[in-house]
Amino acid sequence: MKIQEADAKSLLLAQGLPVPPWKVARTLAEVEAAARIFFDGGAERVVVKAQVLVGGRGKAGGVKLAGSPVEAAEVGSKILGMDIKGITVRKVLVGAAAEIVKEYYLGAIIDRASRRIVLMASSEGGVEIEEVARQNPGAIHRVSADPELGLLAFQARALGLAIGLRDPLLNPFVAIAEGLYEAMKANDADLVEVNPLAIVAETAADGATTHRLVCLDAKLTLDDSGLARHPELEALRDLDEEDPTDAQARRLGINFIHLDGTIGCMVNGAGLAMTTMDLVKHYGGEPANFLDVGGGARRETVRGAMELILADPKVNAILVNIFGGITRGDEVAAGLIEARARQSREVPMVVRIVGTNAAEAARLLTEARFETATSLDQAAEKAVALAKGAAR
Ligand code: GDP
Ligand code: MN
């Protein structure tokens, strides 16, 4: 689950990272009021940043500076409502603008190969790290944390030295790297990025300028499978930006992953769903989705799952493959019959139900004139033929 910059900053702040204060605004009046607070606090300029769950907001015109509350509202009017990579901006972050001296990149990911959290840093900050990886891979430095020992101070120091940081900024960098690692673990995140991590110049009342490292941007992705351990993080889900299909699948408690093909698949069990997709491919078809309705699916779930499959206009055939165990075949059959009675468009379907109450399921399906199959091979082959027939 992706979360907004402002929420990611809250989680970093909770680990003691240096994040400058901010406010979130949804209207121009709120932008102006927020900006006024920062100007009253001594800011010379404020920054207004689009809060959308995509990167490259700066390039897209979603990050702007302003010299007065009124000007903040003006740039706010350009950013609120703008479209960034297909997403409408509904809220912005407002904060005192930093005077940037240099931008770095600092991030943490889970490296599946080594099964460790890897910290990455680069002196080429502010640009997308994928770009640095392409153009100048040598500029990205990495250390990997031992899961038992955690990120050790010498590793963080080596990373800081590698990107050119020296005393007096090296120790603050070590603290930031350690905090980033803690934020990753504390929230079961699978990615945390601070880009830019910036050296900023701060001028005190007496005119003395000091340099400090601060997190000017934050990106954090939570591991969906870890969310159950952090019910409070569920509140950070941005429903404005969630794909309606994903939201519906979550409400139904099913696993649904949208794919590019034409054959909608409804299966119980993740392994069987994979096998079903393999067979669809084997017979020359392309699955439109991965869908595991789970164990003991009730007819409401089956009906909802069918709606999800049919919501994809590319779907021109459906393959249902249910292996009844806890799941009762007759319950699934009843759900399919209900779903078809309500569905908005007619799509050919092949149903294979075996296991618990298969005979009763077969009777219901035959009565309702469903096309059925007994073996999975036969079902997949038929579904592919139906999809090809429909495409013609
Ligand atoms: P992204 O483009 O979505 O990654 O958004 P960022 O928050 O990283 O902002 C993009 C760029 O805007 C940064 O790399 C900075 O160069 C600039 N920027 C962001 N915040 C400030 C700020 O407070 N002051 C100044 N001068 N520039 C900023
Ligand atoms: Mn950024």
Side-chain angles (χ1 to χ4, degrees), residues 59-374:
K59 257 194 210 156
V63 178
K64 289 190 159 68
L65 302 176
S68 70
V70 172
E71 200 192 330
E74 268 169 38
V75 303
S77 76
K78 296 203 182 86
I79 297 175
L80 281 169
M82 83 183 283
D83 187 281
I84 300 182
K85 299 180 182 169
I87 299 170
T88 305
V89 180
R90 292 183 171 86
K91 47 203 173 275
V92 293
L93 175 152
V94 182
E99 196 190 311
I100 299 175
V101 178
K102 176 156 177 58
E103 298 183 313
Y104 296 88
Y105 170 94
L106 178 64
I109 53 159
I110 293 174
D111 176 40
R112 285 173 187 272
S114 62
R115 295 182 289 176
R116 289 175 178 215
I117 293 176
V118 170
L119 263 76
M120 301 184 294
S122 174
S123 58
E124 298 194 14
V127 290
E128 282 182 41
I129 196 66
E130 292 80 4
E131 194 58 33
V132 180
R134 262 193 304 275
Q135 310 257 329
N136 188 7
I140 303 175
H141 303 272
R142 297 176 175 81
V143 294
S144 87
D146 182 286
E148 293 286 344
L149 302 174
L151 179 73
L152 298 172
F154 85 88
Q155 295 184 295
R157 206 152 40 238
L159 200 57
L161 287 168
I163 60 173
L165 289 171
R166 299 290 181 267
D167 197 37
L169 292 174
L170 194 55
N171 282 341
F173 175 85
V174 169
I176 290 169
E178 288 173 344
L180 197 81
Y181 177 78
E182 289 306 322
M184 184 94 169
K185 288 216 314 183
N187 301 294
D188 282 319
D190 43 32
L191 172 107
V192 184
E193 269 187 344
V194 177
N195 187 22
L197 170 69
I199 299 180
V200 300
E202 290 176 342
T203 309
D206 64 2
T209 300
T210 48
H211 283 179
R212 205 161 73 91
L213 272 175
V214 297
C215 307
L216 284 192
D217 189 12
K219 176 176 170 182
L220 194 146
T221 311
L222 298 165
D223 180 347
D224 292 332
S225 304
L227 268 178
R229 305 207 292 192
H230 313 279
E232 73 288 356
L233 297 179
E234 193 58 47
L236 305 183
R237 188 184 294 279
D238 193 326
L239 298 172
D240 287 347
E241 285 190 43
E242 197 181 28
D243 180 303
T245 314
D246 291 345
Q248 175 71 356
R250 196 158 41 76
R251 275 192 293 274
L252 290 167
I254 62 179
N255 284 311
F256 181 93
I257 294 162
H258 194 257
L259 302 168
D260 291 332
T262 59
I263 302 177
C265 301
M266 187 189 305
V267 190
N268 65 328
L272 191 57
M274 305 274 256
T275 309
T276 307
M277 288 164 51
D278 282 349
L279 277 171
V280 164
K281 287 200 164 231
H282 176 75
Y283 286 107
E286 286 295 331
N289 63 274
F290 167 95
L291 196 171
D292 167 15
V293 287
R298 309 281 308 172
R299 65 182 74 182
E300 302 78 44
T301 315
V302 171
R303 220 168 56 206
M306 191 55 76
E307 280 166 19
L308 276 183
I309 292 175
L310 285 170
D312 177 355
K314 286 216 298 285
V315 168
N316 63 7
I318 295 172
L319 169 56
V320 179
N321 182 27
I322 300 294
F323 189 89
I326 304 169
T327 308
R328 286 170 37 203
D330 56 329
E331 181 77 17
V332 173
L336 291 173
I337 292 165
E338 282 179 25
R340 201 177 59 178
R342 297 160 162 240
Q343 75 199 30
S344 49
R345 62 193 181 101
E346 199 59 49
V347 174
M349 193 185 316
V350 187
V351 186
R352 174 200 182 229
I353 299 180
V354 295
T356 309
N357 293 2
E360 178 61 7
R363 192 185 62 73
L364 289 170
L365 292 171
T366 311
E367 243 169 47
R369 296 178 187 286
F370 272 80
E371 175 122 21
T372 58
T374 43

